Amino acid sequence: MTAPREDGSAAVPTGSSRSSEPSVPREERVVPMRLQKFLARAGVASRRKSEDLMTAGRVRVNGIVVTELGSRVDPRVDVVTVDGKVVHHGDGHAYLMLNKPAGFVTTMRDPGNRPDMRALVPWKQYPGLYPVGRLDRDTTGLLLFTTDGEMGNRLLHPSHHVPKTYEAVVEGRVVDSALDPLREGILITRHAAEEAYARPCAPAQVELLSSGPTSRVRCTIAEGRHRQVRYMFGEIGHPVLSLARISFGPLTLGDLEEGCWRELTDSEVSMLKRASDW
Ligand code: URA
């Protein structure tokens, strides 16, 4: 019934009617995904249990029973049913992480035409995708994206204190005691006139990794004030030369290469949801 595709997976009939091409323009279509992943995303069951539903003949795509586990669907055009009930992909959200390179502004569309996030993440394939918080243009590292506005807002809400860890290369030979003001909660005097910096930063966890003509410091903060880490090190007389975010809440970059993105795994999404729970 299903014809194999070039990648070895089985194709399923596409579109609202099997004989016609999908009405959604090709460039706006979501990358076809495995049917069991589609079902898990939509909250029907875990991937494993979704496979069981498929092999039991309970899943149809565009009216045709699909039992082959490699089958793929395009969530924008294929109609998937389980036991006759339509499953909406929109019930599930997209969650991605990007290892951001320097030189890109954290916005989906920069009015000033600077390189923005559209060059780095598959925004056409995930309508409504947006960055969770921001990294400065020259900061690299872990940046989350989602279509789930509610979770994005929760993760950024100050009451959640989601910790973010950065590695900074700073000017000068740092001695450990110079970091104590950051550990105690430092007032950014040069910006104290601004509302966001009127009160001291919350105590940060800071670890000196290496010291020399330039030094490397790991720093974990749970706040997200504008340019906060740069201001903190500037305040103690060690301006930041480069800054990379290596973790966000329970998530770490792992071996994701700079400039690359990947979808979060189901367990990463669950961990993130727990981290954003009030
Ligand atoms: N703090 C900064 O100073 N810059 C970032 O990009 C993130 C945190």
Side-chain angles (χ1 to χ4, degrees):
M1 178 197 75
T2 54
R5 288 185 170 171
E6 275 173 17
D7 64 1
S9 64
V12 292
T14 299
S16 47
S17 101
R18 265 183 295 142
S19 55
S20 63
E21 267 296 291
S23 56
V24 179
R26 177 161 294 281
E27 67 275 10
E28 287 176 20
R29 291 170 61 190
V30 179
V31 169
M33 63 169 73
R34 284 176 184 260
L35 184 50
Q36 58 267 47
K37 183 172 180 180
F38 172 98
L39 294 168
R41 271 281 186 75
V44 171
S46 67
R47 277 193 211 185
R48 178 73 198 82
K49 293 232 165 73
S50 297
E51 288 175 359
D52 292 343
L53 291 173
M54 289 168 67
T55 49
R58 294 168 62 185
V59 181
R60 288 174 186 255
V61 179
N62 304 322
I64 294 183
V65 173
V66 176
T67 53
E68 210 166 316
L69 296 180
S71 303
R72 288 177 183 264
V73 286
D74 181 335
R76 289 286 299 273
V77 292
D78 291 321
V79 179
V80 178
T81 57
V82 176
D83 296 335
K85 275 202 204 132
V86 175
V87 176
H88 296 287
H89 178 249
D91 299 354
H93 279 292
Y95 304 92
L96 270 56
M97 79 160 70
L98 167 74
N99 186 347
K100 178 190 171 297
F104 291 81
V105 288
T106 307
T107 176
M108 292 313 282
R109 191 175 291 272
D110 182 50
N113 253 350
R114 293 170 298 177
D116 58 31
M117 293 296 114
R118 285 173 302 161
L120 299 169
V121 292
W123 57 285
K124 287 185 181 172
Q125 292 161 17
Y126 298 93
L129 194 69
Y130 78 100
V132 178
R134 60 186 296 284
L135 293 175
D136 299 336
R137 179 145 63 133
D138 289 328
T139 301
T140 61
L142 202 165
L143 186 58
L144 287 177
F145 287 79
T146 186
T147 54
D148 184 345
E150 198 183 322
M151 189 171 85
N153 288 340
R154 286 180 176 204
L155 284 168
L156 295 178
H157 199 278
S159 65
H160 281 120
H161 308 293
V162 176
K164 293 133 212 145
T165 301
Y166 298 84
E167 277 190 16
V169 176
V170 301
E171 262 180 47
R173 188 178 296 275
V174 175
V175 293
D176 193 71
S177 58
L179 301 172
D180 286 344
L182 307 184
R183 296 181 176 120
E184 285 152 16
I186 194 166
L187 179 69
I188 311 294
T189 52
R190 258 178 292 174
H191 292 273
E194 296 166 25
E195 201 187 325
Y197 283 103
R199 57 191 167 78
C201 300
Q205 275 175 38
V206 190
E207 190 187 344
L208 182 58
L209 300 175
S210 69
S211 190
T214 64
S215 304
R216 281 181 56 234
V217 186
R218 185 175 297 152
C219 172
T220 302
I221 57 172
E223 298 169 303
R225 305 190 209 178
H226 179 59
R227 297 181 77 79
Q228 181 168 348
V229 176
R230 293 174 194 274
Y231 288 173
M232 284 164 57
F233 283 100
E235 191 68 28
I236 59 166
H238 291 287
V240 167
L241 297 172
S242 69
L243 186 63
R245 181 154 73 191
I246 58 169
S247 74
F248 185 109
L251 307 186
T252 55
L253 271 180
D255 54 11
L256 186 64
E257 282 182 29
E258 202 169 287
C260 294
W261 64 271
R262 67 167 176 83
E263 286 191 0
L264 300 189
T265 64
D266 293 344
S267 76
E268 285 174 325
V269 173
S270 307
M271 287 193 291
L272 211 51
K273 285 191 170 155
R274 277 199 296 278
S276 72
D277 264 352
W278 324 94

